[in-house]
């Protein structure tokens, strides 16, 4: 079953602008992961943030996690046309050393116009 | 980085036939692999957890007799869609979990079209 909800469902911005996507989930988690998927292709892992972390950076990506609100956000700064893709959050709620199954949010379709 | 491969990348089959999809973990031994299905414009839905050396665990609503999963080794899991129907046409994606980092790495997906 789907746990995550993402908003917005679709986002269209100009190159150079920042893009923010939000994800909410329902149960306690071990970690939350963000993925990118280009049309018809496989998933690319972007960032994993653990439940005891509040913020994480990777290049132009910044992820925050608020476990009290059960929400996360992905910020892409200085966006490029190549960032055009669908972005999914996924939560891992399994018991430590077990589980590992990911429940995906509905995704945000990002379009960056040159 | 870690690589997970899938084969075939796409397959077209006739209704009533069976199709086998392979998922291989190339960089690490994966005791656990996962199978997802994705319909157009939708998110990934977890189908089952594939456990090396034991039976797969299926998510609610997924027919285990229709979607046969075999995790015969630490680097290979297979999904067989038996007696395929057009409604089984979808994008099937596997993932393997790195036991050291707990990160999951996804295969490139297999597009199944049942005619």
């Amino acid at each position: 079953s789907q746990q995550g909800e993402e908003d917005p469902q679709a986002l269209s911005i100009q190159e150079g602008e920042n893009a923010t996507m939000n994800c909410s989930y329902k149960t306690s988690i071990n970690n939350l992961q963000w993925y990118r998927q280009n049309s018809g292709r496989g998933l690319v892992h972007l960032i994993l943030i653990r439940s005891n972390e509040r913020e994480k950076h990777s290049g132009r990506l910044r992820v925050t996690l608020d476990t009290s609100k059960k929400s996360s956000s992905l910020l892409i700064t200085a966006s490029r046309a190549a960032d055009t893709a669908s972005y999914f959050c996924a939560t891992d709620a399994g018991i430590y050393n077990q589980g590992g199954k990911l429940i995906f949010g509905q995704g945000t379709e990002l379009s960056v116009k040159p | 980085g870690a690589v997970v491969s899938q084969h075939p990348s796409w397959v077209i089959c006739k209704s009533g036939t069976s199709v086998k999809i392979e998922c291989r973990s190339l960089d690490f031994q994966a005791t656990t692999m996962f199978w997802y299905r994705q319909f157009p414009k939708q998110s990934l839905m977890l189908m089952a957890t594939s456990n090396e050396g034991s039976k797969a665990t299926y998510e609610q609503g997924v027919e285990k007799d229709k979607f046969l999963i075999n995790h015969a080794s630490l680097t290979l899991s297979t999904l067989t869609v038996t007696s395929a129907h057009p409604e089984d046409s979808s994008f099937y994606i596997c993932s393997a979990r790195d036991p050291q980092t707990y990160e999951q790495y996804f295969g490139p997906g297999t597009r199944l079209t049942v005619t």
Side-chain angles (χ1 to χ4, degrees), chain B residues 54-73:
Chain B
S54 65
K55 292 182 179 180
T57 305
Y58 291 82
E59 294 300 301
Q60 191 172 11
V62 178
E63 301 174 57
K64 61 180 181 181
D65 294 330
K66 181 170 182 62
F67 299 99
L68 301 179
I69 291 173
N70 187 336
H71 196 147
S73 76

Side-chain angles (χ1 to χ4, degrees), chain A residues 44-99:
Chain A
V44 174
H45 181 263
L46 297 177
I47 289 186
L48 180 151
I49 185 165
R50 302 188 191 282
S51 60
N52 60 353
E53 298 176 310
R54 292 296 167 257
E55 189 172 310
K56 208 161 183 179
H57 297 253
S58 176
R60 293 183 296 113
L61 307 180
R62 172 177 168 251
V63 167
T64 62
L65 178 64
D66 187 335
T67 53
S68 66
K69 296 181 179 178
K70 291 186 169 59
S71 67
S72 174
S73 67
L74 170 67
L75 168 67
I76 303 175
T77 60
S79 63
R80 304 166 182 168
D83 295 329
T84 294
S86 293
Y87 291 82
F88 295 94
C89 68
T91 53
D92 179 350
I95 299 169
Y96 184 72
N97 263 353
Q98 300 177 25

Side-chain angles (χ1 to χ4, degrees), chain A residues 1-2 33 35 37 40-43 45 48 50 88 92 96-102 104-106 109, chain B residues 32 34 36 38 41-46 49 59 91 93 97 101-109 111:
Chain A
S1 61
Q2 293 290 102
Q33 304 181 36
Y35 291 85
Q37 183 181 37
R41 308 287 295 274
L43 273 73
H45 181 263
L48 180 151
R50 302 188 191 282
F88 295 94
D92 179 350
Y96 184 72
N97 263 353
Q98 300 177 25
K101 66 180 185 180
L102 296 178
F104 281 80
Q106 296 165 347
E109 199 168 324
Chain B
T32 306
F34 302 90
Y36 296 82
Q38 185 181 32
K41 298 293 186 182
Q42 294 187 25
S43 186
L44 280 74
M45 294 293 292
L46 178 66
T49 301
E59 294 300 301
F91 194 51
I93 306 175
R97 187 178 181 223
T101 65
Y102 297 101
E103 290 188 19
Q104 282 199 34
Y105 297 89
F106 284 79
R111 186 161 303 283

Side-chain angles (χ1 to χ4, degrees), chain B residues 19-103:
Chain B
V19 174
K20 180 185 284 188
I21 303 170
E22 293 184 349
C23 177
R24 292 183 185 274
S25 171
L26 303 181
D27 286 359
F28 56 84
Q29 294 183 327
T31 54
T32 306
M33 292 185 177
F34 302 90
W35 287 97
Y36 296 82
R37 181 167 53 183
Q38 185 181 32
F39 292 107
K41 298 293 186 182
Q42 294 187 25
S43 186
L44 280 74
M45 294 293 292
L46 178 66
M47 298 176 67
T49 301
S50 174
N51 304 298
E52 189 269 337
S54 65
K55 292 182 179 180
T57 305
Y58 291 82
E59 294 300 301
Q60 191 172 11
V62 178
E63 301 174 57
K64 61 180 181 181
D65 294 330
K66 181 170 182 62
F67 299 99
L68 301 179
I69 291 173
N70 187 336
H71 196 147
S73 76
L74 287 171
T75 58
L76 173 65
S77 174
T78 60
L79 168 68
T80 301
V81 183
T82 62
S83 187
H85 290 111
E87 55 265 34
D88 297 325
S89 298
S90 188
F91 194 51
Y92 291 85
I93 306 175
C94 73
S95 70
R97 187 178 181 223
D98 187 327
Q100 301 298 321
T101 65
Y102 297 101
E103 290 188 19

Side-chain angles (χ1 to χ4, degrees), chain A residues 11-32:
Chain A
L11 179 62
S12 182
I13 59 175
Q14 293 294 131
E15 213 168 23
E17 294 180 342
N18 295 341
T20 300
M21 289 159 266
N22 302 295
C23 167
S24 62
Y25 56 92
K26 297 177 183 175
T27 65
S28 297
I29 61 171
N30 288 327
N31 64 69
L32 185 145

